Amino acid sequence: MIRFDLETKSFLLSGKNYSYAMFVNEAGFLQQLYYGKKIAEIDLPFLISQAESPDPEDLNMDMSTDWMPSECGSFGRGDFKSATVIVKRNNGSAMSRFKYQSHKIFDGVKLLKGMPCIRHAENTLTVTIKDDFSDIEIDLNYSVSENSDVLVRNATIRNGGEESADIVKAFSFCIDLPYSGKLSALRLAGNWARERKPVTTPLSDGTLRIESTRGHSSHAMNPFMALLSADCNENSGDCYGFALIYSGSFAISAEVDCHQCIRMQGGINDYMFAWKLGAGESFQTPQAALCFSNEGLGGMSRAYHDFFRCYIINPSKVYKRRPIVVNNWEATYFGFNNEKLFPIIDEAAKLGVDTFVLDDGWFGKRDDDRSGLGDWFVNENKLIGGLKTVIDHCKGKGLKFGLWFEPEMVSEDSDLYRAHPDWAIKKEGVTPCRSRNQLVLDFSRKEVVDYVYNVVSKILNENEISYVKWDKNRDITENYTSSLPVDRQGEFLHRYMLGVYDLAERLTSSFPNVLFEGCAGGGGRFDGGMLYYFPQIWTSDDTDGLERTKIQYGTSMCYPASTMSCHVSACPNHQTGRTTPLETRGAVASLGAFGYELDLSKLSKEEKERVKAQILDYKEIDDLILKGDLYRLSDPFKSNYFCEMLVSKDKTRAYIVGERFRNEPNGHEELLKIHGLADEKFYLISELNVTVSGKALSGKGIVLPRIGDCGSWTWHMVEVR
Ligand code: DGJ
């Protein structure tokens, strides 16, 4: 619901449980008023009476507007916090003072062109603000829906003048909130094989900025930050989330100023960014998803999970049962042939797996990571009879077939590179950085994207492929394209990203029956932008039964369980060397899109029986993974236990997975309170053969199993009447 009150010139935007208010003050600025629990229009006059606003007379004397809570920070006229949008004109000036011009409220949403965005919304408000000193206008867009706790924002910057201008900063959103001395910031930091660790630190005067300069959202920092009130915990307290629907280099900053205001803003990273805006042209920023919850971190996460499922992920895929896959990567790495693959496929069929996924190494001259990328035609020396033989073998056993690609990459030892050395990102005269021995294709060039579309489409057209894993195994360096003039090089990284989105859009819409899984050396590009095209993403290359609990826990802060591709791999684990029970690896992986990443034919008879049972069990609960509400019951970073529950929306069924990390001799009993069930309902926990009320489970709790190192348990709960 969006309301405009003409008398007070105020806007009230409300979703399921939140409201967001702002007004046009006497001096003509769009001033932020309120963001928090849902309120009514009747509250607006009170909020305005509490807001200190600049006097127009003062402004004529050029008084500073530094203390005014803004919706778009400007540069050079007394707003001393960092600006949201900066546009340099040909006369060298970049100063700005954006004032309200007009607004419109309409049903639905303005879809972005060539970029991921929400697919629908109930209403959108566009407030147009105009610079006092130039012909630059900005549309601030706000989309809300009655059933969602997420407000979606972005900005469109327009050059209404007759000369070109250079945008040097174009963030998607800005909001100034009261700081009150007691907020902490949570972000998801990490590295390869240990992605998205929640890190929370108190904020204080100054700026906390998280960013990626790597050309993709990155393993190191996810494009998401949450602000936590002093009393915020997993189940209660206020928290605000800020997530970008963007997969390229980004920045989000939390700036506490001398007036005890906190400016939250973010978008495309402005570091080395520039965009030439010709006369009459406009530039759209990616969307940002803002979320308020007064039910703590858990409430915020569930709001984001619903948001991604209802508004971002492809509706034809989001709630559709995902295939249980077996992937050959850790089973064979590059060293496979038909003789090695067929036994895996045969065993997979016997155990109930749905799809066999052939990973890296099936194409070109690809026997290790030094060659072949870009040559997307089958290596018949390795796979005698080509892909068809493997696919026919799968079909004969009742399995579907999936295939790995790394569309954005090229090896120098490849036919593609020999034919088009200029298609790789590099600067003449400078030896390019090689990471994993490969270079990145210049996706800012349309002919490169067209070529990759054609070769990948050919493979998908000529073969029965139901699943594609789209990988990306390195950061971008050199940041240069020969296709842009000197003064436009700052556009390169964003143009690269637009090329990736273009290819993803064309491939996913040309092959609507194929399930595309995202991947970037594990979870290096796990973000809202990618989820628009790929309903699931390979969460991490670390599949260790213990470490995975932490990675999945951190990822769940923002992203739903169904988006996390999770596989059971062999022991000792290839990343950590640790051995964990097969039950534990299965239980932890069952909290996402499930599969296996090992040579099934090498398992013992007992292990095969267990795998068969795991697959059957997963098929009983996969609707909860796809559609349920996630409750994090124990924090694996702070306790000896990991425990999570998925509950059906009607609270009649639940599935709990727990793991105990270290065994302690003579340890005391630990009680775990189970929040998220219905107080008044009674549940049968089948494994324990007890019936108990939701009230008792959240009030008293349940004694956690005392099992050996990395031992796990699963509990299935169903309402009894
Ligand atoms: C990185 C991925 O995360 C792995 O699963 C695997 O596909 C390799 N790349 C293949 O090169």
Side-chain angles (χ1 to χ4, degrees), residues 192 327 329-330 334 359-361 366 369 404 406 436 469 471-473 519-523 538 540-541 597:
W192 173 78
N327 176 307
W329 179 241
E330 290 201 359
F334 294 105
D359 210 281
D360 195 354
R366 182 81 169 164
D369 63 16
W404 179 96
E406 195 172 5
R436 209 192 188 208
K469 177 174 170 190
D471 203 349
K472 175 185 197 274
N473 281 296
C519 174
W538 181 228
S540 175
D541 277 343
E597 186 97 6

mmCIF file of all heavy atoms in Angstrom, residues 192 327 329-330 334 359-361 366 369 404 406 436 469 471-473 519-523 538 540-541 597, ligand 1:
data_model
loop_
_atom_site.group_PDB
_atom_site.id
_atom_site.type_symbol
_atom_site.label_atom_id
_atom_site.label_comp_id
_atom_site.label_asym_id
_atom_site.label_seq_id
_atom_site.Cartn_x
_atom_site.Cartn_y
_atom_site.Cartn_z
ATOM 1 N N TRP A 192 37.195 -18.611 -0.538
ATOM 2 C CA TRP A 192 36.860 -19.871 -1.204
ATOM 3 C C TRP A 192 36.763 -20.984 -0.145
ATOM 4 O O TRP A 192 37.577 -21.038 0.779
ATOM 5 C CB TRP A 192 37.944 -20.229 -2.236
ATOM 6 C CG TRP A 192 37.732 -21.591 -2.819
ATOM 7 C CD1 TRP A 192 36.838 -21.938 -3.782
ATOM 8 C CD2 TRP A 192 38.414 -22.789 -2.436
ATOM 9 N NE1 TRP A 192 36.909 -23.289 -4.019
ATOM 10 C CE2 TRP A 192 37.877 -23.841 -3.205
ATOM 11 C CE3 TRP A 192 39.417 -23.089 -1.508
ATOM 12 C CZ2 TRP A 192 38.299 -25.158 -3.094
ATOM 13 C CZ3 TRP A 192 39.840 -24.400 -1.385
ATOM 14 C CH2 TRP A 192 39.288 -25.422 -2.179
ATOM 15 N N ASN A 327 27.148 -35.847 -9.166
ATOM 16 C CA ASN A 327 28.086 -35.070 -9.972
ATOM 17 C C ASN A 327 29.442 -35.770 -9.887
ATOM 18 O O ASN A 327 29.864 -36.204 -8.822
ATOM 19 C CB ASN A 327 28.137 -33.641 -9.397
ATOM 20 C CG ASN A 327 29.150 -32.769 -10.098
ATOM 21 O OD1 ASN A 327 30.314 -33.117 -10.225
ATOM 22 N ND2 ASN A 327 28.712 -31.612 -10.549
ATOM 23 N N TRP A 329 32.526 -34.605 -10.295
ATOM 24 C CA TRP A 329 33.749 -33.816 -10.092
ATOM 25 C C TRP A 329 34.692 -34.447 -9.070
ATOM 26 O O TRP A 329 35.819 -34.825 -9.385
ATOM 27 C CB TRP A 329 33.384 -32.371 -9.737
ATOM 28 C CG TRP A 329 34.600 -31.503 -9.481
ATOM 29 C CD1 TRP A 329 34.906 -30.862 -8.327
ATOM 30 C CD2 TRP A 329 35.659 -31.200 -10.399
ATOM 31 N NE1 TRP A 329 36.073 -30.168 -8.462
ATOM 32 C CE2 TRP A 329 36.570 -30.361 -9.724
ATOM 33 C CE3 TRP A 329 35.938 -31.554 -11.717
ATOM 34 C CZ2 TRP A 329 37.730 -29.878 -10.325
ATOM 35 C CZ3 TRP A 329 37.101 -31.071 -12.321
ATOM 36 C CH2 TRP A 329 37.983 -30.248 -11.622
ATOM 37 N N GLU A 330 34.233 -34.593 -7.845
ATOM 38 C CA GLU A 330 35.156 -35.126 -6.830
ATOM 39 C C GLU A 330 35.391 -36.629 -7.006
ATOM 40 O O GLU A 330 36.307 -37.187 -6.407
ATOM 41 C CB GLU A 330 34.638 -34.808 -5.422
ATOM 42 C CG GLU A 330 34.731 -33.333 -5.107
ATOM 43 C CD GLU A 330 34.735 -33.010 -3.616
ATOM 44 O OE1 GLU A 330 34.643 -33.929 -2.786
ATOM 45 O OE2 GLU A 330 34.835 -31.816 -3.290
ATOM 46 N N PHE A 334 39.427 -34.442 -13.582
ATOM 47 C CA PHE A 334 39.472 -34.419 -15.054
ATOM 48 C C PHE A 334 39.662 -35.825 -15.651
ATOM 49 O O PHE A 334 39.513 -36.011 -16.850
ATOM 50 C CB PHE A 334 40.632 -33.539 -15.535
ATOM 51 C CG PHE A 334 40.460 -32.082 -15.194
ATOM 52 C CD1 PHE A 334 41.195 -31.490 -14.168
ATOM 53 C CD2 PHE A 334 39.559 -31.296 -15.894
ATOM 54 C CE1 PHE A 334 41.045 -30.148 -13.861
ATOM 55 C CE2 PHE A 334 39.398 -29.943 -15.586
ATOM 56 C CZ PHE A 334 40.143 -29.371 -14.571
ATOM 57 N N ASP A 359 30.753 -33.010 -15.017
ATOM 58 C CA ASP A 359 31.403 -31.747 -14.659
ATOM 59 C C ASP A 359 32.538 -31.424 -15.627
ATOM 60 O O ASP A 359 32.622 -31.978 -16.726
ATOM 61 C CB ASP A 359 31.859 -31.837 -13.184
ATOM 62 C CG ASP A 359 31.861 -30.495 -12.483
ATOM 63 O OD1 ASP A 359 32.818 -29.729 -12.686
ATOM 64 O OD2 ASP A 359 30.899 -30.196 -11.745
ATOM 65 N N ASP A 360 33.410 -30.561 -15.202
ATOM 66 C CA ASP A 360 34.535 -30.035 -15.986
ATOM 67 C C ASP A 360 35.351 -31.161 -16.640
ATOM 68 O O ASP A 360 35.647 -32.162 -15.995
ATOM 69 C CB ASP A 360 35.428 -29.255 -14.998
ATOM 70 C CG ASP A 360 36.421 -28.373 -15.701
ATOM 71 O OD1 ASP A 360 36.515 -28.442 -16.926
ATOM 72 O OD2 ASP A 360 37.100 -27.597 -14.989
ATOM 73 N N GLY A 361 35.736 -30.926 -17.931
ATOM 74 C CA GLY A 361 36.684 -31.842 -18.562
ATOM 75 C C GLY A 361 36.132 -32.620 -19.748
ATOM 76 O O GLY A 361 36.842 -33.439 -20.324
ATOM 77 N N ARG A 366 40.885 -30.849 -22.713
ATOM 78 C CA ARG A 366 40.781 -30.444 -21.301
ATOM 79 C C ARG A 366 41.108 -31.637 -20.400
ATOM 80 O O ARG A 366 40.209 -32.344 -19.923
ATOM 81 C CB ARG A 366 39.356 -29.949 -21.045
ATOM 82 C CG ARG A 366 39.072 -29.448 -19.639
ATOM 83 C CD ARG A 366 39.542 -28.050 -19.424
ATOM 84 N NE ARG A 366 39.036 -27.511 -18.161
ATOM 85 C CZ ARG A 366 39.539 -26.425 -17.591
ATOM 86 N NH1 ARG A 366 40.548 -25.780 -18.153
ATOM 87 N NH2 ARG A 366 39.048 -25.982 -16.452
ATOM 88 N N ASP A 369 43.598 -28.137 -15.804
ATOM 89 C CA ASP A 369 43.000 -26.793 -15.896
ATOM 90 C C ASP A 369 43.824 -25.816 -16.735
ATOM 91 O O ASP A 369 43.626 -24.608 -16.663
ATOM 92 C CB ASP A 369 42.689 -26.246 -14.490
ATOM 93 C CG ASP A 369 43.944 -26.054 -13.652
ATOM 94 O OD1 ASP A 369 45.051 -26.045 -14.224
ATOM 95 O OD2 ASP A 369 43.819 -25.914 -12.422
ATOM 96 N N TRP A 404 28.256 -29.452 -17.344
ATOM 97 C CA TRP A 404 28.979 -28.301 -16.786
ATOM 98 C C TRP A 404 29.485 -27.398 -17.920
ATOM 99 O O TRP A 404 29.976 -27.865 -18.937
ATOM 100 C CB TRP A 404 30.161 -28.838 -15.988
ATOM 101 C CG TRP A 404 31.073 -27.844 -15.321
ATOM 102 C CD1 TRP A 404 31.014 -27.436 -14.025
ATOM 103 C CD2 TRP A 404 32.221 -27.196 -15.889
ATOM 104 N NE1 TRP A 404 32.043 -26.559 -13.755
ATOM 105 C CE2 TRP A 404 32.802 -26.385 -14.881
ATOM 106 C CE3 TRP A 404 32.813 -27.197 -17.151
ATOM 107 C CZ2 TRP A 404 33.942 -25.610 -15.087
ATOM 108 C CZ3 TRP A 404 33.951 -26.416 -17.364
ATOM 109 C CH2 TRP A 404 34.501 -25.629 -16.337
ATOM 110 N N GLU A 406 31.646 -23.395 -18.377
ATOM 111 C CA GLU A 406 32.179 -22.186 -17.750
ATOM 112 C C GLU A 406 32.179 -21.105 -18.834
ATOM 113 O O GLU A 406 33.215 -20.746 -19.400
ATOM 114 C CB GLU A 406 33.586 -22.433 -17.176
ATOM 115 C CG GLU A 406 33.994 -21.331 -16.232
ATOM 116 C CD GLU A 406 35.296 -21.603 -15.489
ATOM 117 O OE1 GLU A 406 35.960 -22.616 -15.754
ATOM 118 O OE2 GLU A 406 35.655 -20.761 -14.633
ATOM 119 N N ARG A 436 43.903 -19.732 -12.009
ATOM 120 C CA ARG A 436 43.599 -21.109 -12.425
ATOM 121 C C ARG A 436 43.965 -21.297 -13.902
ATOM 122 O O ARG A 436 43.247 -21.943 -14.669
ATOM 123 C CB ARG A 436 42.130 -21.435 -12.205
ATOM 124 C CG ARG A 436 41.899 -22.906 -11.937
ATOM 125 C CD ARG A 436 40.435 -23.272 -11.998
ATOM 126 N NE ARG A 436 40.259 -24.640 -11.555
ATOM 127 C CZ ARG A 436 39.282 -25.426 -11.952
ATOM 128 N NH1 ARG A 436 38.363 -24.991 -12.774
ATOM 129 N NH2 ARG A 436 39.187 -26.647 -11.497
ATOM 130 N N LYS A 469 25.182 -26.745 -15.183
ATOM 131 C CA LYS A 469 25.898 -26.092 -14.082
ATOM 132 C C LYS A 469 26.790 -25.026 -14.719
ATOM 133 O O LYS A 469 27.692 -25.346 -15.487
ATOM 134 C CB LYS A 469 26.720 -27.135 -13.316
ATOM 135 C CG LYS A 469 27.564 -26.572 -12.194
ATOM 136 C CD LYS A 469 28.218 -27.703 -11.409
ATOM 137 C CE LYS A 469 29.252 -27.210 -10.430
ATOM 138 N NZ LYS A 469 30.029 -28.322 -9.850
ATOM 139 N N ASP A 471 29.527 -22.426 -14.249
ATOM 140 C CA ASP A 471 30.612 -22.137 -13.298
ATOM 141 C C ASP A 471 31.354 -20.852 -13.695
ATOM 142 O O ASP A 471 31.221 -20.353 -14.824
ATOM 143 C CB ASP A 471 31.574 -23.335 -13.314
ATOM 144 C CG ASP A 471 32.402 -23.473 -12.051
ATOM 145 O OD1 ASP A 471 32.399 -22.530 -11.237
ATOM 146 O OD2 ASP A 471 33.064 -24.512 -11.884
ATOM 147 N N LYS A 472 32.120 -20.331 -12.762
ATOM 148 C CA LYS A 472 33.005 -19.175 -13.045
ATOM 149 C C LYS A 472 34.122 -19.239 -12.011
ATOM 150 O O LYS A 472 33.880 -19.029 -10.835
ATOM 151 C CB LYS A 472 32.236 -17.868 -12.904
ATOM 152 C CG LYS A 472 33.125 -16.625 -13.054
ATOM 153 C CD LYS A 472 32.370 -15.337 -12.782
ATOM 154 C CE LYS A 472 33.111 -14.129 -13.321
ATOM 155 N NZ LYS A 472 34.090 -13.597 -12.378
ATOM 156 N N ASN A 473 35.328 -19.509 -12.468
ATOM 157 C CA ASN A 473 36.377 -19.857 -11.510
ATOM 158 C C ASN A 473 37.453 -18.824 -11.277
ATOM 159 O O ASN A 473 38.523 -19.158 -10.783
ATOM 160 C CB ASN A 473 37.019 -21.189 -11.923
ATOM 161 C CG ASN A 473 36.143 -22.351 -11.503
ATOM 162 O OD1 ASN A 473 35.919 -22.573 -10.317
ATOM 163 N ND2 ASN A 473 35.603 -23.069 -12.462
ATOM 164 N N CYS A 519 27.200 -21.229 -10.157
ATOM 165 C CA CYS A 519 28.382 -21.676 -9.407
ATOM 166 C C CYS A 519 29.484 -20.684 -9.735
ATOM 167 O O CYS A 519 29.532 -20.139 -10.842
ATOM 168 C CB CYS A 519 28.768 -23.081 -9.878
ATOM 169 S SG CYS A 519 30.292 -23.721 -9.175
ATOM 170 N N ALA A 520 30.360 -20.415 -8.804
ATOM 171 C CA ALA A 520 31.539 -19.600 -9.112
ATOM 172 C C ALA A 520 32.642 -20.092 -8.184
ATOM 173 O O ALA A 520 32.812 -19.577 -7.091
ATOM 174 C CB ALA A 520 31.264 -18.113 -8.912
ATOM 175 N N GLY A 521 33.308 -21.172 -8.601
ATOM 176 C CA GLY A 521 34.307 -21.777 -7.718
ATOM 177 C C GLY A 521 33.657 -22.058 -6.371
ATOM 178 O O GLY A 521 34.168 -21.673 -5.325
ATOM 179 N N GLY A 522 32.491 -22.706 -6.394
ATOM 180 C CA GLY A 522 31.657 -22.830 -5.187
ATOM 181 C C GLY A 522 30.719 -21.641 -5.150
ATOM 182 O O GLY A 522 30.119 -21.270 -6.160
ATOM 183 N N GLY A 523 30.648 -20.976 -3.986
ATOM 184 C CA GLY A 523 29.644 -19.908 -3.818
ATOM 185 C C GLY A 523 30.186 -18.506 -3.996
ATOM 186 O O GLY A 523 29.881 -17.627 -3.206
ATOM 187 N N TRP A 538 25.517 -23.621 -6.464
ATOM 188 C CA TRP A 538 26.432 -24.505 -5.731
ATOM 189 C C TRP A 538 27.006 -23.698 -4.556
ATOM 190 O O TRP A 538 27.705 -22.707 -4.747
ATOM 191 C CB TRP A 538 27.518 -25.020 -6.680
ATOM 192 C CG TRP A 538 28.526 -25.950 -6.091
ATOM 193 C CD1 TRP A 538 29.869 -25.857 -6.228
ATOM 194 C CD2 TRP A 538 28.284 -27.131 -5.320
ATOM 195 N NE1 TRP A 538 30.490 -26.898 -5.585
ATOM 196 C CE2 TRP A 538 29.536 -27.692 -5.011
ATOM 197 C CE3 TRP A 538 27.144 -27.768 -4.844
ATOM 198 C CZ2 TRP A 538 29.678 -28.860 -4.249
ATOM 199 C CZ3 TRP A 538 27.276 -28.921 -4.088
ATOM 200 C CH2 TRP A 538 28.538 -29.451 -3.801
ATOM 201 N N SER A 540 29.121 -24.120 -1.988
ATOM 202 C CA SER A 540 30.545 -24.022 -1.663
ATOM 203 C C SER A 540 31.237 -25.281 -2.151
ATOM 204 O O SER A 540 30.622 -26.359 -2.201
ATOM 205 C CB SER A 540 30.726 -23.913 -0.145
ATOM 206 O OG SER A 540 32.103 -23.940 0.184
ATOM 207 N N ASP A 541 32.535 -25.169 -2.455
ATOM 208 C CA ASP A 541 33.303 -26.376 -2.770
ATOM 209 C C ASP A 541 33.618 -27.158 -1.505
ATOM 210 O O ASP A 541 34.145 -28.266 -1.575
ATOM 211 C CB ASP A 541 34.606 -26.005 -3.484
ATOM 212 C CG ASP A 541 34.382 -25.790 -4.969
ATOM 213 O OD1 ASP A 541 33.332 -26.222 -5.481
ATOM 214 O OD2 ASP A 541 35.254 -25.181 -5.618
ATOM 215 N N GLU A 597 28.353 -36.234 -4.655
ATOM 216 C CA GLU A 597 29.545 -35.712 -5.323
ATOM 217 C C GLU A 597 30.667 -36.707 -5.032
ATOM 218 O O GLU A 597 31.655 -36.389 -4.405
ATOM 219 C CB GLU A 597 29.853 -34.325 -4.696
ATOM 220 C CG GLU A 597 30.952 -33.541 -5.305
ATOM 221 C CD GLU A 597 30.450 -32.503 -6.303
ATOM 222 O OE1 GLU A 597 29.232 -32.332 -6.437
ATOM 223 O OE2 GLU A 597 31.305 -31.899 -6.950
HETATM 224 C C1 DGJ B 1 34.554 -25.197 -9.256
HETATM 225 C C2 DGJ B 1 33.239 -25.790 -8.832
HETATM 226 O O1 DGJ B 1 32.816 -25.221 -7.651
HETATM 227 C C3 DGJ B 1 33.403 -27.294 -8.716
HETATM 228 O O2 DGJ B 1 32.224 -27.865 -8.256
HETATM 229 C C4 DGJ B 1 33.781 -27.854 -10.057
HETATM 230 O O3 DGJ B 1 32.722 -27.670 -10.957
HETATM 231 C C5 DGJ B 1 35.050 -27.189 -10.549
HETATM 232 N N1 DGJ B 1 34.959 -25.768 -10.523
HETATM 233 C C6 DGJ B 1 35.368 -27.648 -11.948
HETATM 234 O O4 DGJ B 1 36.411 -26.973 -12.490
#
